[in-house]
Amino acid sequence: MGTIEPQIAAGGDVQQEPMADGFQLVIDALKLNGVDTIFGLPGIPITDLARRAQADGIRVLAFRHEQSAGYAASIAGFLTQKPGICLTVSAPGFLNGLNALAHATVNCFPMILISGSSEREIVDLQQGDYEELDQLAIARPVAKAAYRVLHAEDIGVGIARAIRAAVSGRPGGVYLDLPAKLFAQSIDAELGRKTLIKVVDAAPKQIPATEAVARVLDLLKGAQKPLIILGKGAAYAQCDSELKNLIEITGIPYLPMSMAKGLLPDTHEQCASAARSFVLPAADVVMLIGARLNWLLSHGKGKTWGGKGAKAWGGQKFVQIDISPQEADSNVRVDAPLIGDIGSCVSSLLNEMKSGWTKPPAEWINAINEKKTANVAKMSETLARNPVPMNFHSALNVVRDIVRENPEALFVNEGANALDFTRSIVDMFRPRKRIDVGTWGIMGVGMGYCVAAAAVSGEQVIAVEGDSAFGFSGMEVETICRYNLPVCIVVMNNNGVYKGTDKDPTGRDPAPTAFVKGARYDKLMEAFGGVGVQASTPAELRKAMAEAIRSKRPTLINAVIDETAGTESGRITSLNPSARKK
């Protein structure tokens, strides 16, 4: 543990015992709990915390904007099952990180936002301190938990509580408020060491009830058209072999949500992704594993599920595996909730399944395979076209091949059309390799995700970005270059939001959805020493991506596509009020 050196009097006598200040106690508490990386942006009052953390061996990755640092911390938590740490300055910096904190909470990513703050006595009297803001009160509604530490001897407790809150049960975002005065406080170094807490079993197993396991198996046995839906919670659980065994032993077709893609290869014979619109309304028993019946699954209602009307339920029976009992019945009746951590739940099901398990009827499997074959053929025909200029399909056909050739690469994806088309075209082959906007459908995660993915994995990162989505965090290409990370960014440039063809009917300004024509995003990467490439054809795109992966240099490819190629709101047009009127 680091200490403040004792003062030496002129006669050589030690005048005080070794002391530890707040900076050092925070650093030592984080290191004691295995924190090896911090994402953030330095400034008052946490600049010295970042400097000293780096000197003590913690990797500190400094960003150009706190929001990107927060997104980096959130996805680091998803990938590692340890809370990602985001460090920000007070007030404006805290607010910049707040979006990422909410994002982590909604998506169930373990993350801790640590922010410096103004002094309590001044904030409470609203006396106008530097960057004065009651940050704890603001953070609470969007965080799983929020804490403030006022005394140096409580730093160990504060960090331990934040870690437990972030990773236990359903993971989420936690806020930890550290006022500026805290860092300057000093206590006896030995006493300080004793106040630190190494968190033990922060996310204990939660074993499901025996009767609940039996209820699930009875329901599955009677199913004629069963379906398994894998959510990102299943990917986060890191019980990949157990999930594979469950799916293959039962023979039940499965549908992976976007961040669950790759838990089993998307080319697996039981994967029903290519027949999604067929299996959802047709299934009679649906088992959700780490997936929620939220808007991404049409809330379990409407025509997506065979319901007659926007709010009608199709009548399926649902099994739901989730660590939170409150999640069951959130939209429709869940007939067999199985509450516990996913690894324990799946293991319990496997242990209770008797030999000779009867697989789903051949009629169900054959019907799915027929739909898959027809849809794959139709998609192959579309991907084989080579229009000039490129469209999303012809460009993503290249990306699909590159990802297949580099299955260990992490794949970042955001946008509207760039996200939707990519989800349906690019196959994944390994778990936790696809990371995207998740439940909130938020923009701006891309570059923060890229930095974190490269930092925590050491692997190549490939990012497919809509030009609008890239604009939210594009300046972070400097961060990528500064740390020389192996990131290849493909910006799908169609000159605007959805498409680049809208006009201002008054003729005064560009349309709200239109960008500068012919923008050269590749030049932004070149400005910071990376590689920038303009690609106007699939051949140029393929060559540039292959070279980026071979060289591992930071690369941005400006993929010029047809500005008419996009559609309004991507594939969620039904959520657009204008579309509802039509």
Side-chain angles (χ1 to χ4, degrees):
M1 176 173 171
T3 61
I4 298 175
E5 291 300 320
Q7 299 298 312
I8 309 297
D13 295 330
V14 176
Q15 292 186 323
Q16 65 180 51
E17 295 298 320
M19 304 291 284
D21 64 9
F23 287 116
Q24 195 63 52
L25 290 169
V26 171
I27 293 164
D28 289 341
L30 292 173
K31 290 181 68 176
L32 182 64
N33 285 285
V35 172
D36 56 13
T37 304
I38 292 174
F39 307 93
L41 198 154
I44 296 173
I46 51 87
T47 306
D48 282 344
L49 180 60
R51 288 175 177 146
R52 289 172 61 172
Q54 186 179 61
D56 265 12
I58 296 178
R59 191 176 193 191
V60 180
L61 297 173
F63 287 72
R64 302 301 291 263
H65 196 284
E66 291 92 349
Q67 186 168 285
S68 293
Y71 290 141
S74 72
I75 209 63
F78 170 78
L79 293 171
T80 66
Q81 293 185 319
K82 299 190 299 182
I85 307 297
C86 177
L87 182 64
T88 81
V89 302
S90 52
F94 156 79
L95 290 172
N96 287 340
L98 196 64
N99 203 337
L101 180 69
H103 173 74
T105 302
V106 171
N107 280 287
C108 307
F109 298 154
M111 168 195 168
I112 302 173
L113 174 64
I114 300 176
S115 294
S117 64
S118 297
E119 308 310 339
R120 290 304 315 154
E121 61 271 24
I122 302 178
V123 172
D124 290 345
L125 284 172
Q126 299 180 16
Q127 293 179 313
D129 199 9
Y130 172 71
E131 296 189 346
E132 176 183 294
L133 190 68
D134 190 352
Q135 296 169 199
L136 189 71
I138 292 171
R140 279 194 172 119
V142 298
K144 183 182 176 186
Y147 307 103
R148 175 182 291 126
V149 181
L150 293 176
H151 305 290
E153 58 266 30
D154 293 328
I155 286 172
V157 171
I159 288 177
R161 296 204 69 187
I163 291 171
R164 284 193 181 277
V167 300
S168 62
R170 173 172 280 178
V174 175
Y175 175 61
L176 188 61
D177 190 272
L178 304 181
K181 276 188 179 179
L182 178 72
F183 297 117
Q185 292 180 28
S186 295
I187 62 175
D188 177 80
E190 180 60 20
L191 174 61
R193 185 186 66 80
K194 291 179 180 179
T195 66
L196 303 185
I197 297 173
K198 181 176 176 57
V199 177
V200 177
D201 200 14
K205 298 292 184 183
Q206 189 171 328
I207 309 301
T210 302
E211 61 271 23
V213 173
R215 188 185 302 118
V216 169
L217 293 177
D218 286 344
L219 194 56
L220 290 176
K221 286 175 186 176
Q224 296 300 301
K225 298 178 180 180
L227 176 68
I228 291 174
I229 297 179
L230 301 173
K232 65 177 177 294
Y236 175 80
Q238 298 193 18
C239 56
D240 308 334
S241 60
E242 291 89 347
L243 283 168
K244 181 176 185 292
N245 288 339
L246 179 69
I247 288 170
E248 293 185 341
I249 289 171
T250 61
I252 297 175
Y254 71 93
L255 184 68
M257 302 301 285
S258 62
M259 286 179 63
K261 287 167 68 69
L263 275 171
L264 287 80
D266 284 345
T267 51
H268 192 284
E269 62 180 359
Q270 287 173 247
C271 182
S273 291
R276 178 187 173 108
S277 60
F278 171 73
V279 296
L280 290 178
D284 60 354
V285 175
V286 179
M287 180 157 69
L288 302 158
I289 304 181
R292 292 173 282 185
L293 280 173
N294 55 24
W295 71 275
L296 290 165
L297 286 168
S298 302
H299 307 283
K301 303 172 185 177
K303 64 180 182 180
T304 297
W305 293 91
K308 299 185 187 307
K311 296 184 178 180
W313 174 15
Q316 289 88 353
K317 293 183 181 298
F318 285 97
V319 173
Q320 186 158 22
I321 299 178
D322 201 287
I323 203 163
S324 172
Q326 290 91 344
E327 187 58 41
D329 306 324
S330 59
N331 275 296
V332 298
R333 182 180 68 246
V334 172
D335 300 88
L338 190 58
I339 306 305
D341 67 276
I342 291 173
S344 296
C345 289
V346 172
S347 293
S348 295
L349 290 172
L350 288 169
N351 290 338
E352 293 302 316
M353 287 171 60
K354 308 301 181 185
S355 59
W357 178 271
T358 301
K359 294 190 174 183
E363 292 84 358
W364 174 233
I365 303 302
N366 292 340
I368 293 173
N369 288 337
E370 287 179 11
K371 289 290 183 181
K372 285 169 58 177
T373 299
N375 289 341
V376 168
K378 187 183 299 183
M379 177 63 77
S380 297
E381 182 180 329
T382 301
L383 294 176
R385 297 179 186 137
N386 189 17
V388 179
M390 290 189 293
N391 60 17
F392 284 102
H393 288 89
S394 59
L396 288 172
N397 188 36
V398 173
V399 176
R400 184 184 67 161
D401 290 346
I402 294 292
V403 171
R404 184 173 58 240
E405 294 161 8
N406 299 275
E408 294 301 329
L410 283 90
F411 188 71
V412 174
N413 188 204
E414 65 171 333
N417 291 279
L419 175 72
D420 296 328
F421 284 120
T422 303
R423 281 176 169 171
S424 62
I425 292 172
V426 177
D427 291 328
M428 303 306 297
F429 304 91
R430 302 282 192 276
R432 290 167 298 282
K433 297 297 185 181
R434 191 185 204 288
I435 48 181
D436 66 27
V437 298
T439 306
W440 240 14
I442 203 165
M443 292 283 194
V445 299
M447 297 303 98
Y449 276 17
C450 285
V451 173
V456 304
S457 74
E459 299 285 354
Q460 174 71 44
V461 176
I462 299 169
V464 169
E465 300 272 313
D467 52 354
S468 175
F470 176 72
F472 283 77
S473 61
M475 193 63 186
E476 299 300 344
V477 298
E478 188 273 335
T479 308
I480 292 169
C481 289
R482 191 178 350 128
Y483 293 104
N484 194 31
L485 299 174
V487 175
C488 173
I489 304 161
V490 179
V491 176
M492 297 290 186
N493 186 359
N494 65 345
N495 297 327
V497 180
Y498 310 134
K499 54 179 69 178
T501 55
D502 286 356
K503 305 290 185 183
D504 175 4
T506 70
R508 179 177 57 193
D509 292 319
T513 56
F515 296 156
V516 170
K517 302 291 185 182
R520 294 292 302 271
Y521 296 104
D522 50 308
K523 296 297 183 182
L524 183 62
M525 181 65 92
E526 287 183 0
F528 300 111
V531 177
V533 182
Q534 171 99 325
S536 300
T537 68
E540 291 173 350
L541 178 57
R542 188 182 305 275
K543 179 181 177 182
M545 291 188 71
E547 175 57 25
I549 292 170
R550 185 201 64 77
S551 70
K552 294 190 175 297
R553 292 188 62 192
T555 302
L556 190 151
I557 303 166
N558 187 48
V560 180
I561 62 173
D562 185 350
E563 66 175 1
T564 69
T567 60
E568 179 80 8
S569 304
R571 296 194 179 175
I572 55 173
T573 301
S574 61
L575 302 181
N576 190 328
S578 297
R580 292 175 184 171
K581 295 177 182 178
K582 297 176 182 178

